[in-house]
Amino acid sequence: MYPDLHTHSLYSDGSETTRYLLTTAVAKGLSHLALTDHDCISGVRELWQHLPEAHDSASTPLLTVLAGVEISCDWNGLEIHVVGLLETPEAPALQTLLGEQQQRRVERMAAIDSKLAAAGITGLGSALAALPAAALTRSHAADFLVAQGHCKNKEKAFKSYLAKRGKAYVAAAWCSLSEAVKAIESAGGIAVLAHPSRYPLTRRKLAALLSDFKLAGGEAMEVSYANLDPNAKKRLLELAAEFDLMHSCGSDFHTAQASWTALGKFPKLEPSAIKNAIWQHPKWHLIEQAGRHVTEASLAKYPD
Ligand code: AMP
Ligand code: MN
Ligand code: MN
Ligand code: MN
């Protein structure tokens, strides 16, 4: 088992097509690929449109694709990400929540546009309108600021403009952890806390987050991802045991330009921890069955 369960496409703030994701996942020998764009399933819809249903394909698959999403949540004023691996991505309650999240994204980008205009920078709105993305993110605004020569790189664009204390920072009124988890459950999914070490939290606060996530119905957390140092990983494995959360893994792939978050680039779950691996979850095989198989034939026909 070598699944990458956290990836992005150009339907949110990734820069690659779903075809790139498929061909690269096959080339790297991944067993499963979950597409988990921010607050949208447009990329999943595209994959589903062009890949036959799993039970339809006779030959052994090169790769199994799973439906997923990454939902931005508010937890005590902090933005927390919850990944959902989904059995029925079109479930109405999930779609209602994602619609609300998209509306919040549109409103926030309009507010960022106004703040930038007040600082003498115009044109964000039309730049965003030209993008293929279904989910507008601050990452797109950062790209715009770099492309227009206002910032040297994305890091600086976040620091000067888009991050907290930036000149054009706008908070988003994201849904709560429990709203996200409930919506994922309504889609037969497993809720996974994304990249727990990346939040600006003390050890105590991180434990409080995991406790609240578990109470909200969360069932797993990521314990292996890019740039996770061994001490932080050890701590995450302890916390997973303490809060009885299963283990997930994923690259958080966004772009082929960033080699440190290449597809499949994270340590595999240790054999000793396999009993806690997310693929042991009772819902996993249903999510897998609802996924799509990639074969030589389907890949050959898959559009660019
Ligand atoms: P949003 O969901 O609109 O708040 O956008 C957040 C996205 O921007 C994240 O998912 C990251 O992909 C990206 N991001 C956040 N902080 C930074 C940063 N400091 N540098 C580059 N990208 C970032
Ligand atoms: Mn992102
Ligand atoms: Mn995230
Ligand atoms: Mn992500």
Side-chain angles (χ1 to χ4, degrees), residues 106-223:
V106 167
E107 285 164 13
R108 181 174 58 154
M109 293 322 277
I112 290 174
D113 194 9
S114 303
K115 285 199 169 182
L116 285 176
I121 299 173
T122 56
L124 176 65
S126 47
L128 294 177
L131 293 173
L136 300 176
T137 73
R138 285 179 299 161
S139 184
H140 297 112
D143 287 337
F144 162 80
L145 288 167
V146 175
Q148 294 298 307
H150 299 292
C151 304
K152 264 211 175 115
N153 55 47
K154 280 179 89 162
E155 224 30 73
K156 292 212 166 102
F158 270 91
K159 196 158 189 283
S160 307
Y161 291 96
L162 301 166
K164 254 184 196 164
R165 290 190 283 277
K167 274 178 264 186
Y169 175 70
V170 177
W174 300 126
C175 66
S176 68
L177 284 180
S178 81
E179 285 172 310
V181 172
K182 285 201 184 89
I184 291 165
E185 280 173 354
S186 80
I190 307 171
V192 183
L193 187 76
H195 42 65
S197 68
R198 289 205 203 132
Y199 308 115
L201 292 170
T202 60
R203 288 164 75 101
R204 267 181 59 151
K205 285 265 175 66
L206 179 57
L209 166 63
L210 289 167
S211 171
D212 284 358
F213 179 65
K214 177 76 183 181
L215 278 173
E219 299 187 281
M221 61 187 261
E222 292 179 353
V223 299

Side-chain angles (χ1 to χ4, degrees), residues 227-239:
N227 301 325
L228 177 60
D229 82 65
N231 282 332
K233 181 169 184 167
K234 191 165 163 273
R235 173 79 184 133
L236 291 186
L237 289 169
E238 288 165 6
L239 285 166

Side-chain angles (χ1 to χ4, degrees), residues 6 8 36 38 70 81 195 252 254:
H6 186 158
H8 298 274
T36 58
H38 295 287
E70 181 175 16
H81 290 177
H195 42 65
D252 204 3
H254 280 78

Side-chain angles (χ1 to χ4, degrees), residues 2 8 14 48 56-57 64 72 85 92 96 113 138-139 144 154 229 237 245 250 289:
Y2 180 25
H8 298 274
W48 266 218
D56 282 355
S57 46
T64 301
S72 298
L85 302 176
T96 301
D113 194 9
R138 285 179 299 161
S139 184
F144 162 80
K154 280 179 89 162
D229 82 65
L237 289 169
L245 291 163
Q289 271 170 22

